[in-house]
Amino acid sequence: MSFRSILLKAWFSQRERAIDRFRRRPAETQERVFRQLLRRGRRTEFGWRYDLGHVRTVEQFQTMVETFDYETFKPYIEKMLAGEKNVASPGRVKLFARSSGTTSDRSKYIPVTEESLWWNHTLGMRDVATVFSGNNPKTGVFEGKTLTLGGSCSREGRNLVGDLSAILIHETTFWSGWFRAPRMATALIPDFDRKVEAICRECVGENITAFAGVPSWNLAMMRRVLEYTGRQNLLEVWPNLCMFAHGGVEFGPYRRSFEALIPSERMQYMETYNASEGFFALADDPSRDDMLLMLDYGNFFEFRSGGTIVPLEGVECGRVYAMLITSNNGLWRYEIGDTVEFTSTNPYRIRFAGRTRQYINVFGEELIVDNADRALIAASNETGAVVGEYTVAPCYMSLRERGAHEWIVEFEREPDSREHFAEALDRELRAVNSDYDAKRRTTLERQRLTVVDRGLFLAWLRARGKNKVPRLVNDRHVAEEILAFGGEKK
């Protein structure tokens, strides 16, 4: 083991103890975070408006401070973007993560304060290494570098604005280059094709032991690396690969593609929940399919089920909640647009369930992303298919036809037959969602399967400046855009 690995493991052991403390004392940890945030916010414009100086309890806080989404919190963000100080967090905010959200705006601008940069996002990335090291004491991942595929950022006036991944790369200190590839100048190239070409030239000779980033974009980069090198799989390029820390989208549909590119039993996949609004959770137990909710990153959590909002200690296992945060990035009682399901309350573990606005309920079927992903994985396993991307849209009823869902799918590997795949998908959807099953007996036909050329979704994302494919949409605008962009595969 190298001297560098020994030093890192010593540092990680300190952090392991802190993680264990909040596992054992979640309520105490969240209470401490709540008090810290109140102190930070009292002397801000937001704090004066909502009289945070006189808030003593969570119940008071919930009574005195309304809830927000991006549209209702935007006036504060616009003031921060304009350079005003002490708006919703102390001082002036100079960093903004630009995210393509499900709002009326083309982009959301999420403030990234200095405190959230270091004690939320950066600490989260370090904890990925901490937890992985604890689970794999003999790992060689720290002997090499992590290839991080980020986005881009630019100066807009006095602010740095762009993808969160690019902001983190831009703002981290010089010594991070000892552990990360490519160089900052390469990582921040705006054009994806040019960036990937530069990564190929720069990183093929490096000892890359891990990847980090969004699965879809990493998959595109990995294929280009194989074309560049003429190799059959990535282990022929980087034989010491052993870990991929992924987030941003559900990994299940991509797993088979990665396993084909990296055919190694020692390769491990670690899920993270690192959104523009904050780093919230990570997979700490390889034997489970959920994530540990990180309670000491400067986020005070609340959870909404219907019209009821509860703090962490009020949640129940098996129930899906919309998540609200009050955070050291200057967001207050802010509903981020994600839903999560609790799988454990000792410690608190969650599974990402989808976006609050990404569901289909045109016919009363209440289909959510988690249902769709689970059914898709089961159908793929049964038929030997590998799905690259997909989106689902409603097909509306007419006088002569019942309604249906149209699944627009891009296969990495075709199923044994498309009819078998469609039958299996329908059966699994009915098994995981009783509302869908009930509607299939009355108002819904079996889903319609539309297969498009490989690479179409990625091309559509790049053309639209987006990072994620909307999985479930209650109207046909995304579906029609994608079909018009490339057409159906014959």
Side-chain angles (χ1 to χ4, degrees):
M1 185 179 294
S2 69
F3 183 62
R4 178 170 73 173
S5 291
I6 293 171
L7 285 178
L8 286 171
K9 287 178 180 292
W11 188 88
F12 293 151
S13 67
Q14 300 293 319
R15 182 58 192 161
E16 283 176 354
R17 288 193 283 273
I19 293 172
D20 186 58
R21 279 196 296 274
F22 77 67
R23 277 196 187 104
R24 290 183 287 106
R25 301 173 181 173
E28 179 182 315
T29 302
Q30 280 285 276
E31 176 70 17
R32 184 174 67 252
V33 169
F34 177 65
R35 298 292 172 196
Q36 291 169 348
L37 293 170
L38 287 178
R39 287 195 294 271
R40 276 178 54 82
R42 282 171 184 165
R43 298 185 182 278
T44 65
E45 177 186 331
F46 186 94
W48 290 115
R49 178 172 181 176
Y50 289 96
D51 199 16
L52 296 183
H54 289 93
V55 173
R56 297 291 179 266
T57 66
V58 172
E59 291 75 18
Q60 275 186 307
F61 181 64
Q62 292 177 326
T63 300
M64 296 168 64
V65 181
E66 63 195 284
T67 61
F68 297 88
D69 59 13
Y70 186 78
E71 295 294 334
T72 53
F73 201 77
K74 188 164 64 172
Y76 295 101
I77 293 176
E78 288 175 339
K79 289 183 178 183
M80 295 183 213
L81 281 164
E84 293 189 28
K85 296 180 178 179
N86 304 316
V87 177
S89 64
R92 189 173 86 81
V93 180
K94 302 177 183 179
L95 307 173
F96 292 86
R98 183 166 47 213
S99 169
S100 56
T102 54
T103 70
S104 60
D105 291 350
R106 184 174 185 271
S107 298
K108 298 189 299 184
Y109 293 84
I110 304 300
V112 181
T113 64
E114 288 293 320
E115 185 168 12
S116 69
L117 177 73
W118 295 108
W119 298 109
N120 187 304
H121 294 291
T122 303
L123 181 56
M125 292 188 296
R126 292 178 183 175
D127 278 352
V128 169
T130 298
V131 169
F132 187 81
S133 174
N135 290 334
N136 303 275
K138 296 181 180 179
T139 182
V141 71
F142 306 118
E143 304 294 330
K145 294 185 176 182
T146 297
L147 200 162
T148 303
L149 183 62
S152 61
C153 58
S154 60
R155 289 286 174 187
E156 295 186 8
R158 296 173 64 189
N159 300 323
L160 184 68
V161 178
D163 296 320
L164 174 67
S165 58
I167 290 173
L168 295 176
I169 290 171
H170 187 279
E171 293 297 304
T172 48
T173 49
F174 74 93
W175 49 262
S176 64
W178 301 343
F179 311 102
R180 186 185 66 213
R183 294 178 298 112
M184 183 187 297
T186 301
L188 297 180
I189 293 174
D191 182 79
F192 181 76
D193 289 332
R194 287 184 53 233
K195 188 202 304 273
V196 170
E197 289 300 318
I199 287 173
C200 289
R201 292 193 299 272
E202 182 179 326
C203 297
V204 162
E206 291 270 16
N207 179 25
I208 302 298
T209 55
F211 285 93
V214 178
S216 52
W217 293 95
N218 270 272
L219 203 56
M221 179 193 67
M222 290 173 179
R223 291 197 187 105
R224 182 66 192 101
V225 168
L226 294 184
E227 291 173 3
Y228 180 85
T229 59
R231 303 293 187 177
Q232 297 299 308
N233 64 67
L234 285 181
L235 293 178
E236 295 178 6
V237 183
W238 296 303
N240 297 317
L241 272 179
C242 59
M243 197 262 276
F244 177 39
H246 58 85
V249 296
E250 167 61 36
F251 185 62
Y254 299 96
R255 180 177 286 275
R256 284 195 170 191
S257 295
F258 277 88
E259 290 173 347
L261 286 171
I262 312 170
S264 170
E265 291 185 357
R266 68 175 180 173
M267 185 69 187
Q268 297 191 45
Y269 300 93
M270 186 172 177
E271 185 175 7
T272 65
Y273 187 176
N274 189 14
S276 298
E277 295 86 354
F279 199 117
F280 302 128
L282 56 85
D284 67 322
D285 185 343
S287 67
R288 300 176 63 100
D289 65 350
D290 52 15
M291 294 176 283
L292 179 69
L293 191 64
M294 306 304 284
L295 302 180
D296 65 347
Y297 286 0
N299 297 312
F300 176 73
F301 294 104
E302 296 176 85
F303 300 90
R304 178 178 62 79
S305 178
T308 302
I309 299 176
V310 296
L312 185 63
E313 56 266 32
V315 302
E316 299 174 6
C317 287
R319 177 170 290 184
V320 174
Y321 295 91
M323 188 159 73
L324 293 81
I325 59 166
T326 296
S327 176
N328 53 18
N329 62 6
L331 300 177
W332 294 86
R333 301 204 76 200
Y334 180 90
E335 188 164 320
I336 66 174
D338 289 348
T339 61
V340 298
E341 177 188 356
F342 277 85
T343 56
S344 166
T345 56
N346 184 26
Y348 286 96
R349 299 183 187 276
I350 60 172
R351 183 165 49 226
F352 180 77
R355 300 285 294 173
T356 55
R357 300 190 185 188
Q358 284 195 34
Y359 61 91
I360 292 184
N361 192 32
V362 175
F363 311 101
E365 65 274 42
E366 293 282 3
L367 189 71
I368 64 173
V369 173
D370 184 61
N371 300 152
D373 281 336
R374 292 190 190 190
L376 189 74
I377 292 168
S380 296
N381 290 339
E382 180 175 327
T383 63
V386 176
V387 173
E389 295 285 359
Y390 78 95
T391 191
V392 186
C395 298
Y396 302 110
M397 292 180 181
S398 69
L399 289 175
R400 295 180 178 83
E401 291 184 321
R402 295 192 299 171
H405 293 167
E406 181 177 18
W407 283 66
I408 303 173
V409 176
E410 179 183 306
F411 285 116
E412 294 287 327
R413 184 170 70 226
E414 285 274 353
D416 50 20
S417 87
R418 293 184 184 178
E419 178 62 21
H420 184 191
F421 179 85
E423 289 177 353
L425 181 60
D426 182 58
R427 184 178 66 250
E428 294 298 332
L429 287 168
R430 299 180 73 164
V432 299
N433 186 308
S434 59
D435 288 324
Y436 179 85
D437 181 53
K439 299 305 178 291
R440 277 285 287 113
R441 289 189 240 111
T442 54
T443 56
L444 275 179
E445 295 179 351
R446 196 188 76 181
Q447 84 285 336
R448 301 169 189 174
L449 183 65
T450 301
V451 181
V452 297
D453 290 322
R454 193 169 115 174
L456 174 64
F457 278 92
L458 185 61
W460 178 80
L461 285 171
R462 292 171 62 184
R464 297 299 185 272
K466 295 180 178 292
N467 293 318
K468 304 172 189 176
V469 176
R471 296 306 192 197
L472 306 181
V473 186
N474 263 303
D475 57 45
R476 292 195 55 80
H477 76 277
V478 170
E480 298 298 345
E481 268 194 22
I482 291 171
L483 292 175
F485 192 81
E488 182 178 354
K489 182 177 179 180
K490 303 302 181 184

